[in-house]
Every structure is written in C-alpha cells, then in structure tokens.
C-alpha cells in the first residue's frame, strides 16, 4: 500500500517547521513592521508537502484578515496571468493546513467551511496569551461560544472552566499541535527531545516579531483591528 508523507510525524514536522521558518516568518516580518499581528498560515499538498499558498495576517486592511483567512482567500483566488501555465489547485481534502498559532473561532470556522480535514499549529492559545500578549482567542471562545450546561443544578464554575474550548477531533477535521506530533513519534526519548528542541528554536524566531508588534501597538501604529 502506498504511504503518504503525512503518515510520518517526523516527515510532517520537518515540512511544517521548514515552511514556517523559510516561508511564513519572512512574510510575517514585513507584516508586523506595518502593524499587523504575527499570525501566519500555509496550505501544503498532502502528496509531497510542497506549499501551495502561504500568507500572513493583514489586520491593517480588515479585522477579518487573519493569517488563516488570508491564506484561504489566496488559495481560492484565481492565479495571476495565464491560468493555463498554473498547475491546478488541489482540493482542500488533499491538503495539509498549517497555522503558526492555534486558530481562533473565526479561523476554525473558515478552515471547516473550506473543507480542510486537518490543521496543525506551532503555538497554542495559551502561548498566544502568555508569550504574545494576545488573549482574544480564548476570551472570544469563552464569552461567545461557551454556554453553561443546564441540568437540575447549574454547571459549576470549575467544571465549566475544565471544558475544552472546542472539539479538536470532530466530523470535519482533526487538529494537532506540533507538540502532539512529537508525542506520536515512535522513536525513543532522545529522538523526541531533538524534535522538541527544533520546535523551540522555530518558536524563538517569533520573539523578535512579537517585540516589533508590541512596540508598534504602544506607539499607536494604524490597524483596522479593534482587539489588538
Ligand atoms: Zn483567526
């Protein structure tokens, strides 16, 4: 039986990390210096993990242009120039979706509506809040979508707080952080440690980008986003 490169967590991690480092980070560096957030995304072919579309946040233009949404929009846009010279766009089911940061409620829906059956992310919601000073993914999911269960007694606060913010495996998609991919590696602890180090190295590429974004925010750099 033919195996897909997506079957191997190591192959997948290597492609995802290299896409972020070589393709997304340079785009994002330009974006943050003009006031956009540092969230980026890419769409890769499952067959060879080559990038079809790469994008970064453009909240300067609109609060809806998150990295993921921008990426999806570009994926579905007709290519420039002569269409015949472009390779045909794969279907979303044949693609891997990668987000630098765990997708917010808007982007979870965008990914779902577009028909991707997976996504992978480097930073978690907690990272976005604690490392980047951007708490809105968690706050919007809690305030807009989290409804207290009503049985004979109201759901207690601590039970409510323990509920996951969304279904990471559902009928539409399976979502995994890069850290979860490392746990799936069949090699020993040394191999996993190597990958965790590699993930941390790529995460650190965002430290400088975050400083640039936060500096711009404190200096009142123009952005269409209300929640900065
Ligand atoms: Zn988003």
């Amino acid at each position: 039986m033919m195996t897909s490169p997506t079957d191997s967590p190591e192959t997948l991690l290597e492609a995802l990390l290299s896409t972020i480092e070589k393709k997304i980070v340079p785009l994002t560096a330009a974006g943050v210096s003009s006031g956009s957030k540092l969230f980026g995304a890419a769409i890769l072919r499952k067959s060879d993990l080559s990038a079809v579309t790469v994008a970064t946040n453009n909240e300067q233009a609109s609060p809806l242009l998150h990295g993921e949404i921008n990426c999806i929009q570009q994926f579905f846009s007709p290519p420039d120039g002569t269409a015949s010279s472009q390779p045909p766009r794969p279907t979303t089911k044949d693609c891997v979706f990668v987000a630098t940061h765990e997708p917010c409620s808007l982007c979870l829906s965008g990914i779902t509506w577009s028909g991707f059956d997976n996504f992978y992310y480097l930073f978690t919601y907690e990272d976005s809040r604690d490392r980047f000073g951007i708490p809105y993914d968690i706050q919007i999911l809690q305030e807009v979508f989290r409804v207290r269960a009503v049985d004979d007694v109201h759901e207690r606060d601590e039970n409510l707080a323990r509920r996951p913010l969304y279904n990471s495996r559902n009928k539409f998609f399976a979502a995994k952080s890069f850290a979860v991919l490392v746990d799936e590696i069949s090699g020993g602890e040394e191999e996993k440690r190597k990958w965790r180090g590699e993930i941390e190295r790529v995460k650190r590429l965002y430290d400088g980008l975050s400083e640039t974004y936060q500096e711009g925010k404190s200096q009142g750099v123009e952005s269409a986003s209300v929640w900065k």
Side-chain angles (χ1 to χ4, degrees):
M1 208 177 109
M2 260 192 27
T3 56
S4 159
T6 56
D7 293 341
S8 154
E10 292 97 323
T11 307
L12 198 49
L13 271 170
E14 185 161 14
L16 298 177
L17 286 166
S18 132
T19 302
I20 290 178
E21 179 172 13
K22 301 204 172 79
K23 298 201 155 91
I24 300 179
V25 165
L27 270 185
T28 300
V32 289
S33 59
S34 57
S36 287
K37 290 199 185 88
L38 37 68
F39 303 137
I43 296 167
L44 317 181
R45 286 181 183 81
K46 280 182 185 172
S47 58
D48 60 2
L49 300 177
S50 62
V52 184
T53 313
V54 182
T56 195
N57 178 288
N58 188 10
E59 284 182 41
Q60 278 205 290
S62 158
L64 300 186
L65 287 181
H66 291 192
E68 300 92 319
I69 299 296
N70 221 6
C71 194
I72 292 168
Q73 288 289 80
Q74 287 175 27
F75 180 80
F76 285 100
S77 299
D80 296 332
T82 50
S84 57
S85 67
Q86 302 281 341
R89 182 179 64 228
T91 65
T92 50
K93 284 272 173 287
D94 292 325
C95 293
V96 171
F97 197 100
V98 54
T100 55
H101 295 66
E102 191 169 12
C104 75
S105 45
L106 167 69
C107 297
L108 288 175
S109 294
I111 290 166
T112 310
W113 276 104
S114 310
F116 295 97
D117 63 10
N118 67 83
F119 66 82
Y120 299 89
Y121 54 93
L122 175 63
F123 293 102
T124 63
Y125 289 147
E126 290 74 18
D127 289 330
S128 295
R129 181 190 60 198
D130 302 339
R131 290 176 79 134
F132 299 97
I134 301 174
Y136 306 112
D137 305 310
I138 291 176
Q139 289 181 3
I140 291 173
L141 282 163
Q142 287 178 336
E143 295 292 322
V144 179
F145 294 93
R146 176 175 270 176
V147 180
R148 200 177 283 267
V150 182
D151 13 58
D152 32 356
V153 279
H154 284 290
E155 186 174 19
R156 291 159 53 145
D157 285 348
E158 58 266 38
N159 292 343
L160 183 68
R162 258 204 305 271
R163 266 204 265 153
L165 292 169
Y166 66 98
N167 274 327
S168 59
R169 291 188 76 85
N170 57 58
K171 80 175 249 182
F172 298 103
F173 63 73
K176 282 176 199 171
S177 67
F178 288 15
V180 165
L181 274 178
V182 172
D183 292 337
E184 291 177 358
I185 291 173
S186 53
E189 208 35 54
E190 197 173 328
E191 177 77 1
K192 290 182 184 176
R193 219 178 357 256
K194 185 197 94 181
W195 282 105
R196 289 193 189 105
E198 188 57 10
I199 289 173
E200 194 48 40
R201 184 185 66 76
V202 174
K203 280 185 164 182
R204 277 198 297 268
L205 299 175
Y206 280 82
D207 290 347
L209 299 176
S210 181
E211 271 167 37
T212 307
Y213 173 69
Q214 294 296 343
E215 270 166 29
K217 197 164 77 169
S218 67
Q219 289 160 13
V221 169
E222 283 291 304
S223 165
S225 180
V226 178
W227 307 111
K228 299 187 179 82

